[in-house]
């Protein structure tokens, strides 16, 4: 009986260790591809800030800080991105069919509806804007459809630290609806405590990555229902640019929705790290992130393919 009890204890310990190991996400950067500077339909490919993959249409959509939408055809061989061809570009238009006015066109965050339902022609882009914070549905061709109501805390532009610190990210969760966050915490909140807000009223808070001025630049809901969060930190020369990819497990948050994130990959350098601002799930364990060239000819627009193995639940 004692031998059986000891065997059972060892078996349970082994199972627990196996679960812990398998549940730890593993992120590996595979390769990068530089998009050479050029224009499509008279619009320059630059300052890309948001990405989303349309499985039904087999297209990658990207938005720029200047209020433009781009469509790309991808070629992925194994775990290598071998080509990205721009096939369409347009300026974002308001509901009246006019180009969104200057000062209101700082498009930053991007997610997609109806992207994987087996139907073509029904996809809708959902774009988060800085400056005047708002989230708007668009057609893939860049025509505004309808505004999405923001959580009350985010609906006042004066609540943000700065107009350039407002909505940089948006994603859609099948349970919580749209989730967004200010790049930096709102006024009156600790500068190193980020809060996510859902359109269904939920909130989650966590400590920022421990680098000065680490702000949320992108989010992506994962196939297991958890969240991949990208933070970017820069505090001026001679400090390095720091990009961190972090994992939020909703089940591990406390009852008051305080969460502890796992750091999956941290890229830090004075010279070599791209200014990553957008990310998206492609297929299986493959993801893409994009670097913003800042509209500078000496900086690249870089697409980077990485894999994220989530392990067994």
């Amino acid at each position: 009986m004692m031998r059986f009890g000891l065997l059972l204890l060892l078996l349970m310990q082994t199972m627990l260790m196996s679960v812990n190991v398998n549940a730890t996400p593993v992120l590996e950067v595979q390769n990068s591809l530089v998009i050479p500077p050029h224009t499509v339909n008279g619009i320059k490919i630059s300052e890309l800030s948001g990405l989303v993959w349309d499985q039904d249409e087999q297209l990658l959509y990207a938005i720029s800080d200047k209020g433009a939408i781009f469509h790309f055809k991808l070629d992925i061989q194994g775990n290598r991105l071998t080509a990205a061809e721009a096939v369409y570009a347009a300026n974002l238009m308001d509901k009246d069919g006019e180009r969104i006015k200057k000062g209101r066109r700082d498009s930053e965050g991007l997610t997609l509806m109806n992207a994987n339902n087996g139907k073509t022609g029904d996809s809708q882009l959902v774009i988060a804007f800085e400056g005047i914070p708002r989230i708007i549905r668009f057609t893939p061709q860049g025509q505004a459809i309808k505004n999405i109501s923001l959580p009350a805390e985010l609906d006042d532009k004066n609540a943000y630290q700065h107009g350039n610190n407002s909505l940089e990210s948006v994603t859609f969760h099948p349970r919580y609806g749209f989730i967004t966050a200010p790049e930096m915490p709102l006024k009156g909140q600790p500068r190193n405590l980020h809060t996510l807000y859902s359109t269904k009223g939920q909130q989650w808070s966590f400590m920022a990555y421990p680098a000065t001025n680490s702000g949320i630049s992108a989010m992506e809901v994962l196939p297991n229902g958890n969240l991949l969060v990208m933070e970017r930190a820069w505090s001026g020369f001679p400090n390095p640019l720091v990009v961190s990819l972090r994992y939020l497990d909703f089940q591990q948050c406390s009852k008051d929705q305080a969460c502890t994130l796992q750091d999956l990959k941290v890229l830090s350098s004075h010279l070599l790290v791209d200014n990553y601002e957008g990310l998206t799930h492609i297929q299986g364990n493959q993801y893409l992130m994009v670097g913003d060239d800042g509209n500078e000819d000496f900086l690249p627009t870089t697409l980077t393919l990485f894999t994220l193995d989530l392990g067994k639940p």
Side-chain angles (χ1 to χ4, degrees), residues 210-244:
T212 303
N213 295 333
S214 189
I216 297 174
S217 56
M219 292 185 288
E220 179 78 348
V221 171
L222 300 171
N224 66 0
N226 291 321
L227 201 63
L228 181 63
V229 178
M230 175 187 285
E231 291 185 38
R232 180 193 54 198
W234 192 62
S235 52
F237 294 107
N239 301 303
L241 174 68
V242 180
V243 174
S244 55

Side-chain angles (χ1 to χ4, degrees), residues 196-215:
L196 310 181
Y197 300 82
S198 86
T199 52
K200 291 189 176 182
Q202 295 92 343
Q203 296 182 17
W204 303 266
S205 295
F206 57 89
M207 299 302 295
Y209 182 78
T212 303
N213 295 333
S214 189

Side-chain angles (χ1 to χ4, degrees), residues 289-303:
M289 55 185 178
V290 66
D292 183 345
D293 68 351
N295 201 29
E296 298 286 354
D297 291 337
F298 63 90
L299 294 175
T301 296
T302 305
L303 285 172

Side-chain angles (χ1 to χ4, degrees), residues 38-58:
H38 66 288
T39 61
V40 180
N41 295 345
I43 302 174
K44 182 181 178 182
I45 299 176
S46 68
E47 297 186 85
L48 300 187
S49 54
L51 287 182
V52 74
W53 173 249
D54 191 329
Q55 180 66 25
D56 293 334
E57 306 289 349
Q58 291 293 291

Side-chain angles (χ1 to χ4, degrees), residues 34-313:
V34 172
I35 300 174
H38 66 288
T39 61
V40 180
N41 295 345
I43 302 174
K44 182 181 178 182
I45 299 176
S46 68
E47 297 186 85
L48 300 187
S49 54
L51 287 182
V52 74
W53 173 249
D54 191 329
Q55 180 66 25
D56 293 334
E57 306 289 349
Q58 291 293 291
L59 286 172
L60 178 74
Y61 304 124
I63 53 172
S64 78
D65 294 354
K66 301 299 183 185
I69 177 72
F70 300 92
H71 298 187
F72 292 89
K73 286 282 190 180
L74 300 182
D75 185 10
I76 298 176
Q77 302 292 329
N79 278 337
R80 293 192 64 81
L81 175 65
T82 57
E85 178 190 3
V87 295
Y88 177 85
N91 292 312
L92 297 178
M93 301 291 175
D94 63 22
K95 296 174 186 176
D96 297 323
E98 301 291 333
R99 186 179 181 188
I100 293 177
K101 294 179 181 179
K102 190 174 182 180
R104 299 177 60 90
R105 61 178 69 147
D106 190 1
S107 48
E108 295 283 354
L110 180 64
T111 192
L112 189 64
M113 306 300 296
N114 306 323
N116 193 17
N117 61 3
K119 299 178 183 179
T120 57
D122 65 346
S123 300
Q124 289 188 8
L125 305 174
V126 178
I127 301 177
F129 290 82
E130 277 196 321
I132 299 175
R134 60 209 193 281
I135 298 176
I136 306 175
R137 292 178 183 261
F138 285 83
T139 68
Q141 291 71 40
Q143 173 69 51
I145 300 172
K146 184 180 180 181
N147 283 41
I148 294 170
S149 297
L150 290 176
E153 296 88 344
L154 304 180
D155 206 21
D156 178 8
K157 67 177 182 179
N158 296 317
Y160 297 86
Q161 298 283 349
H162 187 275
N164 200 39
N165 291 146
S166 53
L167 303 183
E168 280 247 352
S169 58
V170 64
T171 190
F172 180 78
H173 194 285
R175 179 177 179 183
Y176 304 123
F178 294 104
I179 300 175
T180 188
E183 181 181 6
M184 301 299 292
L186 298 176
K187 291 177 181 177
Q189 298 181 351
R191 292 297 297 267
N192 62 343
L193 182 68
H194 287 310
T195 302
L196 310 181
Y197 300 82
S198 86
T199 52
K200 291 189 176 182
Q202 295 92 343
Q203 296 182 17
W204 303 266
S205 295
F206 57 89
M207 299 302 295
Y209 182 78
T212 303
N213 295 333
S214 189
I216 297 174
S217 56
M219 292 185 288
E220 179 78 348
V221 171
L222 300 171
N224 66 0
N226 291 321
L227 201 63
L228 181 63
V229 178
M230 175 187 285
E231 291 185 38
R232 180 193 54 198
W234 192 62
S235 52
F237 294 107
N239 301 303
L241 174 68
V242 180
V243 174
S244 55
L245 290 163
R246 314 180 73 198
Y247 180 72
L248 188 157
D249 183 344
F250 288 105
Q251 299 301 315
Q252 299 301 315
C253 298
S254 66
K255 290 183 179 180
D256 62 355
Q257 303 306 320
C259 309
T260 300
L261 274 60
Q262 297 181 49
D263 298 329
L264 304 181
K265 180 70 67 175
V266 179
L267 307 171
S268 176
S269 174
H270 288 82
L271 298 174
L272 301 178
V273 175
D274 286 286
N275 183 24
Y276 290 110
E277 286 200 8
L279 61 87
T280 188
H281 179 227
I282 300 295
Q283 58 188 3
N285 67 348
Q286 295 177 334
Y287 298 76
L288 277 180
M289 55 185 178
V290 66
D292 183 345
D293 68 351
N295 201 29
E296 298 286 354
D297 291 337
F298 63 90
L299 294 175
T301 296
T302 305
L303 285 172
T304 295
L305 178 70
F306 64 92
T307 54
L308 177 57
D309 292 304
L310 297 172
K312 298 178 181 179

